[in-house]
Amino acid sequence: MKVVYVFDASTKVFVETKIVDEEYQLQSNETLVAPISEDGTGLYDPVWNGTTWSSLTKEEWLAKQSANDGPDFISGPTEAEQLQAQQVVMIANLTKQVQDLQGAVKTLVLQNAVANKEEK
């Protein structure tokens, strides 16, 4: 299983995350790169630029929300948005851990094969 990050084909804005089989072929509006910052935190309105995700600053995002929502504006993302962002980060971290473990297993298999060959 792997995590695929979907973005709008025209605006390149992040749309959703989905989990697919390893054999899954990416569509033109999908990537395996997680929309998170280098420190592992979520991004504000992430946009795909072809190789990485870009983000608004917190201040830009707040100003955009204020302009869109008018006087009923509630500061910050909703609880559901916070949970979704946390899940995206957790999935990205777990995917990285799985990849690291798969690499370690490959290394151990090769070491074991070399050791067995030397014994014969």
Side-chain angles (χ1 to χ4, degrees):
M1 302 302 272
K2 60 184 174 182
V3 180
V4 173
Y5 304 94
V6 182
F7 52 89
D8 182 272
S10 59
T11 64
K12 309 295 186 204
V13 173
F14 174 76
V15 175
E16 67 178 331
T17 301
K18 59 184 180 180
I19 299 175
V20 298
D21 292 326
E22 287 295 324
E23 298 81 29
Y24 179 82
Q25 297 296 314
L26 291 176
Q27 303 299 310
S28 61
N29 67 323
E30 298 174 336
T31 181
L32 297 175
V33 178
I36 57 175
S37 64
E38 291 179 2
D39 65 1
T41 58
L43 301 176
Y44 293 94
D45 288 342
V47 176
W48 181 247
N49 69 13
T51 55
T52 60
W53 293 98
S54 61
S55 174
L56 298 176
T57 64
K58 181 177 181 179
E59 293 74 23
E60 290 170 331
W61 184 83
L62 288 171
K64 180 180 171 185
Q65 299 306 308
S66 181
N68 290 342
D69 292 342
D72 295 333
F73 173 68
I74 299 173
S75 180
T78 66
E79 185 176 341
E81 291 169 330
Q82 290 175 349
L83 289 172
Q84 182 181 15
Q86 289 172 352
Q87 289 173 338
V88 167
V89 171
M90 286 173 41
I91 289 169
N93 288 334
L94 289 171
T95 300
K96 172 87 170 88
Q97 289 174 2
V98 167
Q99 290 170 343
D100 291 345
L101 289 170
Q102 287 172 334
V105 168
K106 287 179 185 177
T107 300
L108 291 171
V109 167
L110 288 173
Q111 289 174 347
N112 190 25
V114 169
N116 286 339
K117 187 175 182 180
E118 291 174 356
E119 289 177 6
K120 293 183 180 183

